[in-house]
Amino acid sequence: MAHDTTDTLTDTVHAVDPAALLGLLPVRPRILALGEPTHGDGTLLDLRNDLFRRLVEQEGYRTLAIESDCLRGLTVDDYVTSGEGTLDDVMEHGFSHGWGAFAANRALVRWMRAHNAERPAEERVRFAGFDSPLEITGAASPRQALTALHAYLAAHVSANLLPCTAQALDRLLGTDGQWTEPAAMRAPSRSAGRTAEAARLRLLADELTALLDEQTPHLIAATSHADWDRGRLYARTATGLLRYHHAMADTSPVRMARLVSGRDGMMAHNLLALAARGPVFVHTHNSHLQREKSTMRMDGQPVEWWSAGALVRARLGAEYAFVATALGTIRHEGVGTPPPDTVEGLLYARPEDRFLVDPARLAAALGDTPPAPRVSPWYGYAPIDPARLTDIDGLVFVKDVTPDTV
């Protein structure tokens, strides 16, 4: 059966290029999302860079969004669009989760800056982090987003419209350490998310966001659409962080579900905002982009939530496209040659090092009884679920990778 299936796939195997990829889709997507099944691999980042460059040059894409802090990403965007700052500073301060240390990300930022250097504003490429300011150990203080939102409004609307002064906001925020307390991730009682001050801050964030919306015509005229759009990012981030901190203080059984769904919800809102200004190419883990409900076990309990991709798909329909990536071997982590009776094993038998497959045709070739899922000995690699092939729009296969160490 594997031999027959391999022959059937010959007509649906394509080079990984924009024309072939967009040719699999019913409409041109506003969000074209490329997933990866593991983080930290230079080969996959190089593939992302190459595909983005060709999407820019051949298809008019202008924005790349990656799984990095949305506020830090403003530093990168300022550099690539206007040359503000230095490359070293941007790589150190413009990325979260260690992404600034990867050579492929440095090469990406350098290319984006060179591409933009002699182009008018409307032709420049843009960078965005679409993750919220969260790390595995906790969440950032809402100070940066909340005070930036207040400052933007205070500079352009009447003071009597503001719900509070900057000084009052500062007093309510207190020290940043109480917000970033690492123990709060495991101990809800250590979280500042449900204090009286936090409750007041949530109300003020809501009022400031409403004021931003109500004053939209004036603010765009007084500043620019880009400045107003940045104000909206501050508003989304402030309210999202305060909601996340509130969930961190939760002691109920649904605490972890609220945290993971809250993060993906913030991701989804950032992606939708980016798509409003033009087509976006997104790169992150497959799990954040999938359409089906996400599930995992945490502390022995099942946790379910809708991923950012599922949330965006519900809003955009076919204008959201998800292309997953699957791997053969991961040499550095000991993920060896995939068993021949798995999807990865079937694709590994082909001679090409990397290629694009139509997952609907692959699913049809596999028949009514899909093969068993591949089992990874390493927690950091998530194999493709053969029962979910029809839930993705494209499948990129990369035969062998060696993750970077940073």
Side-chain angles (χ1 to χ4, degrees):
M1 182 177 72
H3 175 74
D4 292 340
T5 304
T6 302
D7 288 346
T8 302
L9 287 180
T10 299
D11 293 335
T12 192
V13 169
H14 310 279
V16 185
D17 62 51
L21 197 153
L22 294 175
L24 296 179
L25 310 177
V27 299
R28 181 183 176 87
R30 289 163 62 187
I31 295 181
L32 175 59
L34 175 66
E36 60 178 5
T38 185
H39 283 324
D41 176 67
T43 302
L44 299 184
L45 296 179
D46 288 338
L47 185 151
R48 174 209 65 189
N49 289 357
D50 179 62
L51 189 55
F52 178 60
R53 283 193 294 266
R54 289 191 285 169
L55 284 166
V56 169
E57 294 164 356
Q58 300 169 22
E59 301 294 339
Y61 276 72
R62 292 288 181 267
T63 299
L64 172 69
I66 74 166
E67 187 184 335
S68 185
D69 183 331
C70 58
L71 297 185
R72 291 194 188 191
L74 297 174
T75 299
V76 185
D77 191 50
D78 287 342
Y79 176 77
V80 301
T81 55
S82 66
E84 182 178 329
T86 68
L87 180 58
D88 286 342
D89 285 343
V90 166
M91 300 312 298
E92 181 178 356
H93 302 294
F95 294 85
S96 62
H97 302 86
W99 285 120
F102 286 86
N105 285 335
R106 188 180 187 92
L108 169 72
V109 173
R110 186 186 293 113
W111 177 83
M112 293 177 77
R113 177 62 201 137
H115 176 89
N116 287 337
E118 304 298 330
R119 284 178 166 82
E122 65 273 12
E123 294 181 11
R124 292 174 191 157
V125 293
R126 304 285 302 275
F127 177 91
F130 72 94
D131 201 353
S132 46
L134 306 175
E135 294 285 353
I136 294 173
T137 56
S141 164
R143 177 182 300 279
Q144 180 185 357
L146 200 50
T147 57
L149 173 61
H150 186 279
Y152 175 61
L153 291 169
H156 302 290
V157 302
S158 300
N160 59 2
L161 293 177
L162 294 168
C164 66
T165 64
Q167 293 76 17
L169 201 60
D170 183 66
R171 287 194 300 271
L172 288 168
L173 284 164
T175 63
D176 286 345
Q178 67 175 326
W179 298 101
T180 58
E181 168 59 62
M185 180 53 73
R186 290 305 213 177
S189 63
R190 301 292 295 274
S191 170
R194 297 199 177 186
T195 63
E197 291 81 4
R200 177 63 180 160
L201 286 169
R202 291 188 75 187
L203 178 59
L204 290 174
D206 180 72
E207 292 180 343
L208 289 168
T209 299
L211 181 60
L212 178 73
D213 290 341
E214 293 159 5
Q215 294 293 316
T216 292
H218 165 67
L219 291 169
I220 291 176
T223 61
S224 68
H225 198 286
D227 288 339
W228 171 80
D229 197 51
R230 185 167 290 199
R232 292 178 68 223
L233 172 60
Y234 292 139
R236 289 193 305 275
T237 306
T239 55
L241 277 174
L242 286 165
R243 190 182 306 116
Y244 191 90
H245 281 289
H246 186 265
M248 287 185 74
D250 186 10
T251 58
S252 77
V254 298
R255 177 178 184 266
M256 291 309 301
R258 285 178 174 157
L259 291 175
V260 294
S261 63
R263 180 189 178 195
D264 271 274
M266 286 187 272
M267 285 182 168
H269 282 114
N270 285 334
L271 289 176
L272 288 167
L274 292 170
R277 74 186 190 198
V280 184
F281 180 53
V282 179
H283 188 248
T284 184
H285 198 279
N286 286 336
S287 61
H288 288 304
L289 301 174
Q290 65 190 32
R291 296 174 189 163
E292 68 270 17
K293 205 166 194 178
S294 301
T295 60
M296 66 185 302
R297 295 190 70 83
M298 301 184 74
D299 297 329
Q301 300 296 320
V303 178
E304 294 186 345
W305 74 101
W306 292 106
S307 72
L311 296 170
V312 170
R313 173 74 178 192
R315 296 282 293 274
L316 297 185
E319 290 187 299
Y320 170 77
F322 168 36
V323 179
T325 301
L327 303 178
T329 68
I330 307 177
R331 296 189 184 102
H332 180 69
E333 299 295 347
V335 181
T337 304
D341 58 349
T342 63
V343 168
E344 288 89 346
L346 170 68
L347 299 176
Y348 194 83
R350 295 198 57 84
E352 302 92 344
D353 289 332
R354 64 183 66 176
F355 52 90
L356 173 69
V357 175
D358 181 341
R361 294 188 65 177
L362 174 58
L366 293 173
D368 296 332
T369 305
R374 183 184 188 184
V375 177
S376 172
W378 176 46
Y379 74 94
Y381 168 62
I384 287 292
D385 183 351
R388 295 289 187 178
L389 285 171
T390 55
D391 291 328
I392 59 180
D393 298 297
L395 179 62
V396 172
F397 185 76
V398 179
K399 202 159 195 175
D400 300 296
V401 300
T402 305
D404 292 349
T405 55
V406 297

